[in-house]
Amino acid sequence: MSRIVSSLPGRIRVRDKHLRDQKRLTELKKELSKIAAITALQDDVRTGSVVVNFDPSAIDIAALETRLDFAVDQVLVERLTLPPITKKQLNRYNKIAMMGSLVASLALTVTRRKRWKRWHALTGYLFVASVAVHMIIYRKTLFR
């Protein structure tokens, strides 16, 4: 995905909101310094951008843009991986699923339509599964 916001002969600006982190911005500058045609780099952490000054006679602009996109992708690849879910977050989502499935099951019981009997059973099973997950999370507390 291109993060180039402006391109002029001799100057390109790259911007991404994830470059507002100084560590990532420094890492990107290290990667960009490996490209021989680049003469100067100016970064701004506040805006998450880097101005790349280069010699237009040394490299084609399209080739440089491709290399810039590749370098930014390499630096920001770690943001694509999700952080592991914590026990507290798992329990929060589980409680939401438990309450939602209980309410849905009870609402489907009140409607008393035969064709919705299957949905009532399905939401009931979802509630029981959520209770089981909750008990597994708190098994040490339950068996004290």
Side-chain angles (χ1 to χ4, degrees):
M1 182 172 124
S2 182
R3 293 169 182 90
I4 297 173
V5 292
S6 69
S7 177
L8 300 169
R11 181 181 174 278
I12 294 177
R13 180 181 298 274
V14 177
R15 182 177 292 145
D16 190 285
K17 67 179 182 180
H18 295 94
L19 291 175
R20 292 180 183 157
D21 178 21
Q22 184 62 50
K23 178 183 164 198
R24 288 184 179 148
L25 199 55
T26 305
E27 210 174 305
L28 177 63
K29 284 179 66 175
K30 251 187 243 181
E31 286 293 318
L32 295 179
S33 66
K34 296 175 185 175
I35 301 172
I38 295 177
T39 57
L41 295 169
Q42 298 169 336
D43 63 333
D44 188 357
V45 177
R46 188 177 51 82
T47 61
S49 68
V50 177
V51 175
V52 179
N53 295 316
F54 64 97
D55 182 13
S57 62
I59 192 167
D60 182 44
I61 292 178
L64 181 61
E65 287 178 354
T66 303
R67 291 184 71 183
L68 287 174
D69 279 335
F70 182 74
V72 173
D73 287 340
Q74 290 298 316
V75 170
L76 298 180
V77 75
E78 70 184 42
R79 77 176 167 93
L80 298 176
T81 58
L82 296 174
I85 190 166
T86 64
K87 186 176 174 181
K88 185 177 180 179
Q89 289 173 327
L90 175 65
N91 194 36
R92 179 178 295 140
Y93 300 143
N94 187 49
K95 285 179 183 177
I96 292 169
M98 197 180 335
M99 293 305 296
S101 62
L102 178 62
V103 168
S105 182
L106 292 175
L108 290 169
T109 301
V110 172
T111 60
R112 296 183 186 225
R113 292 188 179 174
K114 287 195 174 210
R115 64 179 185 200
W116 287 14
K117 189 175 182 179
R118 186 176 335 157
W119 287 105
H120 167 69
L122 182 67
T123 55
Y125 291 140
L126 181 61
F127 175 76
V128 171
S130 297
V131 168
V133 170
H134 183 75
M135 291 177 71
I136 289 170
I137 291 173
Y138 286 107
R139 66 185 174 274
K140 290 181 182 177
T141 308
L142 291 172
F143 296 118
R144 274 199 245 176

